[in-house]
Amino acid sequence: MFEAYKIGVKISVINAASFGLAALSKDFLRTEADAAKLEQRLKSIKNMALAGGLMAGVGSIGLGLLKAPLEAARQYELAFTKFKTMNLGDTINRQADQFARSANVMGVSAKELMNTLSESVGLFGDFDVARKLAPQLAALNKANSAIFSGKVDHIDEGATRSLMKFIDRRGGTHDEASFMRNLDLAQRMVTGSGGFLKFRDLDQFSQQAGTAFRGLSDEGVLNMALLLQEQGGARAGTAMMSMYQNLIAGRTTKTAMAEISALGLATIQQESIGTVGGKPQTRNRLRLNEDFAAMLQADPATAMRQFVIPAIQAKYGKDVENGTIIKIANDLLSNRTASGQASIMTTQVVQLLRDAGLARNAMGAQQTIDQYKKDPNAQFADYQAKYQSLLVELGLVVLPGVIKSLETLIPMLRGMAEWVRDNQVKAKLLAGAFIALSAALAIGGVVTMAAAGIRALTLAIGALGIAA
């Protein structure tokens, strides 16, 4: 009986367990099916995400690839627009565009050449002359930027403008020969100083010296090399103009007139300036000796060396001290800047001759360009320039399509702006709702993530309990 009872209990337990296991197996099968469905959905979402990511990536890469060409094209078009504002006509504009984009100038990009061309036309007033000389100006500027400023792929547009103004004030834009002579002169001043002097210094000097500068000979400019380095371009020009006014124009004090006359460099004459109340009026007029006046106008440094110093030595002895020379040079002039320049010219003769000699022997424009072409850095600069020109060409192909898209987008943006302006209350409500929705989604997302984490943790603990 007892054995039969044990067998009955086992059968009952097995039956109960079988029902439970059957239910569990159904749940597992259902869960497995759900898991399979879920896996399929996840795969679908994953594929969609991957496709979207791929599309976004390709789009981003495409836009990234277009960014550089579009920017290069925009910059070139801006330089071209600057040229077109001179209103030279469609034919000249087309020629300028073709020239800038096709000319093969060492280290110079299409945009840089277009800018130089614009400045050249503005200076010469002749497109054909500008087209002929602009490549050399751009190449020279590129060479100077690299050699003296250490900027391999850089061109200083301001320096080109300064160079042109210096040449223009010397009357060097009348013909090509005059231009090239003055271009070499300016470049020798730069190379002879080891790059200490810049085209900007020559521009400032020529501007501030005014009338005095326009009378300088080429030798007179070369002999100013030390003065430009000592005083700077603007101050050297101001001092030279003051010297011109004091000595050549004769607008100086009676004391200075007396000193110059005492040295035998000039005479003092009286000239009539009209009548006042029936009485004739006169004034003293300084008349420099003819040779001294001519040399002072063409080459002040040499005039001081050849006329003033010998005159001082004739009066005070050949062993006259520098202190005496400085005092007399100061007495010859009636203002501080001209006096400072005259003291340098009369006491630093050796240095004046040294720097003038360096400038005279230094390389001119084409020699400097040719020398730069031999430098390995020139190849890097040329690569950069050609790459930029390539980007311009690529960008110009794409730019019309981008502009067309923008033309479609701009009215939409304008319409949206007008709607916001006309419906400010609705716009505020819409913005508020958007902010609230964003906040709710953010908070809901955090809560959902937390709930999922708790459920995962409960499931893990339950699984551990079953296993135990």
Side-chain angles (χ1 to χ4, degrees), residues 143-182:
N144 284 337
S145 296
I147 296 171
F148 301 117
S149 300
K151 299 177 181 178
V152 177
D153 59 347
H154 175 75
I155 191 168
D156 190 346
E157 295 167 5
T160 302
R161 192 177 301 110
S162 295
L163 170 63
M164 291 180 174
K165 296 310 296 180
F166 170 82
I167 295 175
D168 193 30
R169 290 176 186 128
R170 284 187 57 75
T173 56
H174 298 308
D175 54 71
E176 186 178 347
S178 298
F179 179 83
M180 295 307 300
R181 192 189 84 249
N182 282 283

Side-chain angles (χ1 to χ4, degrees), residues 139-409:
L140 178 62
N141 194 0
K142 177 71 75 169
N144 284 337
S145 296
I147 296 171
F148 301 117
S149 300
K151 299 177 181 178
V152 177
D153 59 347
H154 175 75
I155 191 168
D156 190 346
E157 295 167 5
T160 302
R161 192 177 301 110
S162 295
L163 170 63
M164 291 180 174
K165 296 310 296 180
F166 170 82
I167 295 175
D168 193 30
R169 290 176 186 128
R170 284 187 57 75
T173 56
H174 298 308
D175 54 71
E176 186 178 347
S178 298
F179 179 83
M180 295 307 300
R181 192 189 84 249
N182 282 283
L183 180 64
D184 281 339
L185 175 63
Q187 182 60 31
R188 287 192 174 96
M189 295 290 284
V190 173
T191 51
S193 69
F196 186 84
L197 287 179
K198 308 293 185 186
F199 289 144
R200 285 187 180 86
D201 296 311
L202 299 178
D203 177 23
Q204 292 171 358
F205 172 67
S206 64
Q207 182 183 40
Q208 297 299 322
T211 304
F213 170 77
R214 288 169 174 81
L216 291 177
S217 64
D218 290 357
E219 281 295 307
V221 174
L222 290 172
N223 285 326
M224 288 297 295
L226 174 67
L227 278 302
L228 287 169
Q229 295 180 59
E230 288 273 348
Q231 296 182 297
R235 191 171 182 82
T238 301
M240 177 166 287
M241 188 61 204
S242 296
M243 186 182 295
Y244 181 93
Q245 293 288 349
N246 284 186
L247 299 179
I248 297 175
R251 297 169 187 166
T252 188
T253 63
K254 291 181 179 181
T255 302
M257 288 183 183
E259 187 65 43
I260 297 169
S261 178
L263 291 174
L265 297 173
T267 58
I268 301 174
Q269 301 174 354
Q270 283 193 339
E271 65 177 10
S272 175
I273 58 174
T275 60
V276 177
K279 295 181 180 180
Q281 300 293 315
T282 62
R283 68 176 179 185
N284 291 335
R285 181 77 176 185
L286 184 70
R287 297 289 184 184
L288 297 181
N289 295 348
E290 188 174 337
D291 292 341
F292 177 47
M295 181 61 74
L296 189 64
Q297 186 162 1
D299 188 353
T302 298
M304 288 289 177
R305 186 175 69 251
Q306 291 186 358
F307 289 91
V308 176
I309 293 177
I312 294 174
Q313 290 174 338
K315 184 175 181 180
Y316 296 94
K318 291 211 177 272
D319 297 329
V320 61
E321 296 180 351
N322 277 349
T324 302
I325 294 176
I326 292 172
K327 179 183 180 305
I328 296 171
N330 181 67
D331 292 341
L332 295 179
L333 301 156
S334 62
N335 64 80
R336 183 178 63 176
T337 54
S339 173
Q341 190 170 92
S343 67
I344 296 173
M345 289 178 175
T346 52
T347 60
Q348 295 180 246
V349 175
V350 174
Q351 294 93 321
L352 280 166
L353 293 173
R354 176 201 64 200
D355 284 13
L358 288 171
R360 193 175 294 108
N361 188 58
M363 287 185 175
Q366 191 58 50
Q367 289 174 302
T368 302
I369 294 171
D370 292 340
Q371 190 65 35
Y372 176 58
K373 287 181 179 179
K374 300 175 185 177
D375 190 294
N377 289 289
Q379 300 304 320
F380 287 97
D382 199 35
Y383 164 77
Q384 289 281 352
K386 298 301 182 289
Y387 178 68
Q388 286 298 317
S389 296
L390 172 61
L391 291 180
V392 168
E393 294 301 323
L394 291 173
L396 290 176
V397 172
V398 178
L399 195 58
V402 175
I403 297 301
K404 188 175 181 180
S405 299
L406 290 176
E407 288 175 348
T408 304
L409 182 60

Side-chain angles (χ1 to χ4, degrees), residues 436-460:
L437 178 61
S438 299
L441 288 172
I443 295 171
V446 173
V447 172
T448 302
M449 290 173 64
I454 293 170
R455 292 178 64 184
L457 180 60
T458 303
L459 181 61

Side-chain angles (χ1 to χ4, degrees), residues 116-160:
T116 304
L117 184 63
S118 297
E119 294 171 352
S120 300
V121 172
L123 179 69
F124 297 114
D126 187 305
F127 175 73
D128 292 330
V129 175
R131 181 169 52 181
K132 186 175 182 179
L133 297 177
Q136 187 169 28
L137 287 171
L140 178 62
N141 194 0
K142 177 71 75 169
N144 284 337
S145 296
I147 296 171
F148 301 117
S149 300
K151 299 177 181 178
V152 177
D153 59 347
H154 175 75
I155 191 168
D156 190 346
E157 295 167 5
T160 302

